């Protein structure tokens, strides 16, 4: 069965780093738009970063310069490197993917993605 599996979350102090991984199981991305979303307690889920099949990346302003989204085709794995973490980065992080969907230069909404992982918790203490 096709699914996405996230890992790499944890608890860190402000200023620390984490690298999230999202493994594609049962299928290989094919011209997918891939993205990371997060949901803080009491808030709506928001798109954080997106990776287009052309290699173009997009980020929300609050993470620019601190987060890097990347993809390893050989491992069918999407990553999110998070540096200089802040307490506002706390939340459940989800990866998402949609085949044959272009997202060069923008972050699509939740409704645009058909494949989701189960989430991995990131907690940043100040």
């Amino acid at each position: 069965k096709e699914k996405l599996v996230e890992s790499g979350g944890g608890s860190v102090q402000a200023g620390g780093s984490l690298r999230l991984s999202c493994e594609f199981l049962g299928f290989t991305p094919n011209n997918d738009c891939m993205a990371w979303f997060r949901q803080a307690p009491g808030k709506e889920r928001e798109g954080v970063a997106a990776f287009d099949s052309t290699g173009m990346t997009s980020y929300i302003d609050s993470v620019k310069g601190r987060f890097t989204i990347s993809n390893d085709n050989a491992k069918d794995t999407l990553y999110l490197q998070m540096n200089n973490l802040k307490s506002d980065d706390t939340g459940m992080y989800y990866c998402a993917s949609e085949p044959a969907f272009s997202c060069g230069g923008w972050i699509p909404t939740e409704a645009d993605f058909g494949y989701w992982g189960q989430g991995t918790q990131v907690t940043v203490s100040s």
Side-chain angles (χ1 to χ4, degrees), residues 12 21 35-36 46 65 76 79 81 88 92 97 101-102 113 115:
V12 296
S21 299
W36 287 95
E46 65 172 349
D76 288 338
Y79 300 99
Q81 177 67 43
D88 287 347
M92 185 70 78
S97 180
F101 182 62
S102 175
F113 293 94
Y115 292 90

Side-chain angles (χ1 to χ4, degrees), residues 19-96:
R19 188 177 80 155
L20 306 183
S21 299
C22 172
E23 187 176 4
F24 288 65
L25 300 180
F27 70 114
T28 296
N30 182 19
N31 293 324
D32 286 33
C33 170
M34 296 172 281
W36 287 95
F37 284 74
R38 68 185 178 191
Q39 187 166 20
K43 295 186 177 181
E44 294 185 353
R45 192 177 301 187
E46 65 172 349
V48 174
F51 187 96
D52 184 67
S53 60
T54 63
M56 190 176 296
T57 58
S58 304
Y59 302 91
I60 56 173
D61 287 344
S62 62
V63 307
K64 285 181 180 178
R66 300 188 298 121
F67 289 13
T68 302
I69 187 171
S70 62
N71 179 48
D72 187 333
N73 288 325
K75 296 182 178 180
D76 288 338
T77 301
L78 180 72
Y79 300 99
L80 185 67
Q81 177 67 43
M82 305 186 294
N83 299 327
N84 191 21
L85 283 161
K86 305 176 180 180
S87 56
D88 287 347
D89 296 318
T90 293
M92 185 70 78
Y93 282 69
Y94 302 88
C95 66

